[in-house]
Amino acid sequence: MVELSEKMATNVQPERNASMIQVGLLVVAVGCLAAAPLFLYPIFLMKLLCFALFACAFNLLLGYTGLLSFGHATFFGGAAYFTAHAMKEWGVTPEAGILIGVAGAALLGLVVGFFAIRRQGIYFAMITLALGQMFYFFCLQAAFTHGEDGIQSVPRGHLFGLIDLSRPTNMYYFVLVAFLIGMAIIWRFINSPFGMILKSIRENEQRAISLGYSVGNYKLGAFVMSAALTGLAGGLKALVFQFATLTDVGWQMSGEVILMTLLGGIGTMIGPVVGAGLVVTLQNYLATSDFPVTIVTGIVFMVCVLLFRRGIVGEFYASRLGKKLGF
C-alpha cells in the first residue's frame, strides 16, 4: 500500500506541474492579446480574432465530431447579414445585434444540420455545400441583403448604451472579450460528457450506436453549437468592418476556414487559432506586395501537409516538449 501511494504521488506531481505550466501559458497569451493594440493595427487584430473564433467553431464539428462541412460560410455570412441589417435598419444595440446574428446562425444550423446529418462522409460534405450555395443565391437576390452591394456603413453603436464602439480600442476589447467567451464555451463543451460522446462518435460511430446513444441527436447538437459560435464570429466581423457582403457566404470562405483548421491542427483547441493567424497574416502583409496571396498560401499549405501532418500545433503536441507540458 505504501509503495502504491508513493507511485500515485510521483504520477500526480508531473500532472500538476504540467497543469500549472498550461495555466501560465494561458495567462501570458491573454496578457499578450490585451497589450497587442499597443504594437499592432487594431483592425488587423480584430480580423484575426474573428477568423480564429470561426476556425475554432468549425473545428468543433470537424475535429471533435468528425463531420466535414463545406457550407460553414452560410452561418458566418448569414450572421453578418442579420447583425448588419438589425444594426442599420432596426437601430438595435451592438449586443442585441450580435445575439440576433447568433440566433439566426443557430436556426440556419438547425435547418442545414437536420438534412445533412442523415448522410455520412463525402455525401454529408456535398449536402452542406449544396445548401450553402442555395443560401448564397438567396442572399444574392434577397432585398434586405442589397445584392452585390451588400449592407454597408453599418453603425457600431454604443455597447450597453455606454461604451462607444466607434473607437478602435473599445471595439478591439469588445471583440477580445467575445472571443474569450467563445473559446471558453468551446472548451467547456468538448470537456463535458456531451463532448466525450462526440469524440466516441468520431472514433467509432457504430460502437456509439450499439451503446444506445442517439447519434443523430448528438450530431445535430454539435452542428447547431458550431453554427451558433460561427455566427458569433460573423456578427463580430460585420461590426468590425461595418459591412456584410456576398464574400462572407461564398464557398471560398468555407474553403478558407478548412485551410485554417488543417494548418493549425485538427482536434486541438489552439490549432485553429494558429492556422487563422497564419492565413490572415499572409493575406494582410502580402496584399500590397507583388506576390499573389493565393499561391503563397497554397505553398505554405503544401509545406505544412508534407512536414506537419497533424498540423503545426498537432505536431508540437506530439513532440517531446509538448508531452512534457502535458498536451
Side-chain angles (χ1 to χ4, degrees), residues 206-227:
Q206 296 303 319
R207 179 80 176 271
I209 293 174
S210 67
L211 292 174
Y213 293 113
S214 180
V215 171
N217 291 337
Y218 281 100
K219 284 184 177 180
L220 184 59
F223 200 98
V224 173
M225 176 60 72
S226 177

Side-chain angles (χ1 to χ4, degrees), residues 178-212:
F179 168 77
L180 294 176
I181 292 174
M183 292 295 291
I185 292 173
I186 293 173
W187 182 87
R188 185 68 188 90
F189 191 78
I190 63 178
N191 287 284
S192 67
F194 191 96
M196 297 302 166
I197 296 172
L198 292 181
K199 294 175 185 177
S200 68
I201 294 173
R202 177 195 64 190
E203 297 299 328
N204 194 328
E205 183 173 335
Q206 296 303 319
R207 179 80 176 271
I209 293 174
S210 67
L211 292 174

Side-chain angles (χ1 to χ4, degrees), residues 122-233:
I122 189 64
Y123 303 104
F124 173 89
M126 290 299 100
I127 289 174
T128 57
L129 176 62
L131 293 175
Q133 287 301 102
M134 289 175 61
F135 186 75
Y136 172 86
F137 287 110
F138 166 79
C139 293
L140 180 62
Q141 299 184 11
F144 82 97
T145 63
H146 302 282
E148 295 182 353
D149 294 331
I151 304 176
Q152 303 179 21
S153 302
V154 177
R156 290 179 177 174
H158 288 72
L159 184 64
F160 304 118
L162 301 172
I163 304 173
D164 186 8
L165 295 183
S166 62
R167 297 182 178 180
T169 304
N170 293 344
M171 186 66 202
Y172 171 77
Y173 286 111
F174 172 55
V175 174
L176 176 59
V177 170
F179 168 77
L180 294 176
I181 292 174
M183 292 295 291
I185 292 173
I186 293 173
W187 182 87
R188 185 68 188 90
F189 191 78
I190 63 178
N191 287 284
S192 67
F194 191 96
M196 297 302 166
I197 296 172
L198 292 181
K199 294 175 185 177
S200 68
I201 294 173
R202 177 195 64 190
E203 297 299 328
N204 194 328
E205 183 173 335
Q206 296 303 319
R207 179 80 176 271
I209 293 174
S210 67
L211 292 174
Y213 293 113
S214 180
V215 171
N217 291 337
Y218 281 100
K219 284 184 177 180
L220 184 59
F223 200 98
V224 173
M225 176 60 72
S226 177
L229 291 168
T230 298
L232 176 60

Side-chain angles (χ1 to χ4, degrees), residues 15 17 28 54 67 72 91 133 145-146 249 283 307:
E15 292 180 359
N17 293 337
V28 170
F54 183 15
L67 299 176
H72 246 53
Q133 287 301 102
T145 63
H146 302 282
V249 293
Q283 292 176 346
L307 300 180

Side-chain angles (χ1 to χ4, degrees), residues 42-63:
I43 297 296
F44 163 71
L45 293 171
M46 286 187 279
K47 179 181 179 181
L48 194 155
L49 291 176
C50 290
F51 278 94
L53 181 58
F54 183 15
C56 289
F58 174 79
N59 185 52
L60 178 63
L61 194 63
L62 176 61

